[in-house]
Amino acid sequence: MKNIEFRCQSFTATTYVKGNRLPELPPLAEPFLVLPGKGQVLTIPCNDDIPLAFGVRDRLIGGTQVSLEAAVKEEFSAKLHATITQFALNTNEIEIYMGPCLTFSHTHVERKLIEELMERGYRASCKRTDGVEFLDLPLLVLTQCRKQGIPMTNIHISDYDTFENPGILYSRLYGDNENNYTIIKSN
């Protein structure tokens, strides 16, 4: 089976599917990593959380694993803002990629959290069906990126849901303990 690949001007992201041999690369050791310069390679291990990479023009800037908790607490947004400020990045040139993760119908949350997020301007990320509350984590992070001034055309979300693709991706909801590895390479 082919790996899941996304390519933009800044970087190429490859998520290795079950059964495909992973190259020998060190995993991302920090919760948020900034790699100024060209020729960078970064590995993001995830299982249902979002593997996220961002870059400008012809270089990878950084990446992280965005958990539900980090997105709700706006930790990712704060770190992205600090990186934009520190490196004086033009938000119109930033490219964001969110790899395979859980989507809307698989992220159950409490009603209190949905109400809080709606009050904070994240209504589009919240849903209630048959009395069950759901949160769309990629859409929540997309909204945070838009609030930073990153154009919609520069934000890309994988078509793959980790739960809906058990034949090729690991998911905690299926009881998998293994990670999906997304390798990001600067172009």
Side-chain angles (χ1 to χ4, degrees), residues 100-114:
C101 62
L102 289 180
T103 57
F104 236 141
S105 59
H106 303 115
T107 307
H108 303 264
V109 295
E110 298 294 323
R111 179 72 180 166
K112 182 179 177 183
L113 177 59
I114 290 292

Side-chain angles (χ1 to χ4, degrees), residues 56 84 87-94:
V56 292
I84 291 168
F87 293 101
L89 300 176
N90 179 345
T91 55
N92 290 320
E93 295 178 352
I94 296 175

Side-chain angles (χ1 to χ4, degrees), residues 26-159:
L28 177 64
E30 303 169 32
F32 192 84
L33 183 65
V34 175
L35 304 164
K38 291 185 178 186
Q40 300 291 341
V41 177
L42 148 67
T43 303
I44 304 173
C46 283
N47 181 327
D48 292 341
D49 295 331
I50 301 173
L52 185 144
F54 60 99
V56 292
R57 293 187 270 348
D58 61 347
R59 65 186 170 118
L60 174 65
I61 298 293
T64 190
Q65 174 188 34
V66 182
S67 67
L68 174 63
E69 181 180 342
V72 167
K73 291 182 177 179
E74 298 180 349
E75 291 171 5
F76 165 72
S77 184
K79 290 176 182 179
L80 179 61
H81 178 74
T83 302
I84 291 168
T85 303
Q86 178 182 355
F87 293 101
L89 300 176
N90 179 345
T91 55
N92 290 320
E93 295 178 352
I94 296 175
E95 295 176 299
I96 302 270
Y97 171 69
M98 291 180 253
C101 62
L102 289 180
T103 57
F104 236 141
S105 59
H106 303 115
T107 307
H108 303 264
V109 295
E110 298 294 323
R111 179 72 180 166
K112 182 179 177 183
L113 177 59
I114 290 292
E115 290 171 350
E116 175 192 324
L117 289 170
M118 288 192 299
E119 285 179 24
R120 290 173 31 205
Y122 297 115
R123 182 172 295 277
S125 304
C126 305
K127 178 180 174 184
R128 184 173 213 201
T129 303
D130 296 328
V132 179
E133 319 302 327
F134 298 97
L135 180 66
D136 189 330
L137 185 56
L139 189 53
L140 178 63
V141 173
L142 178 143
T143 304
Q144 292 172 358
C145 292
R146 292 289 296 127
K147 287 181 176 182
Q148 296 287 341
I150 299 169
M152 187 70 174
T153 56
N154 293 7
I155 304 169
H156 312 278
I157 301 173
S158 173
D159 294 335

Side-chain angles (χ1 to χ4, degrees), residues 154-170:
N154 293 7
I155 304 169
H156 312 278
I157 301 173
S158 173
D159 294 335
Y160 290 87
D161 180 298
T162 49
F163 182 77
E164 292 176 0
N165 292 280
I168 61 171
L169 296 167
Y170 296 108

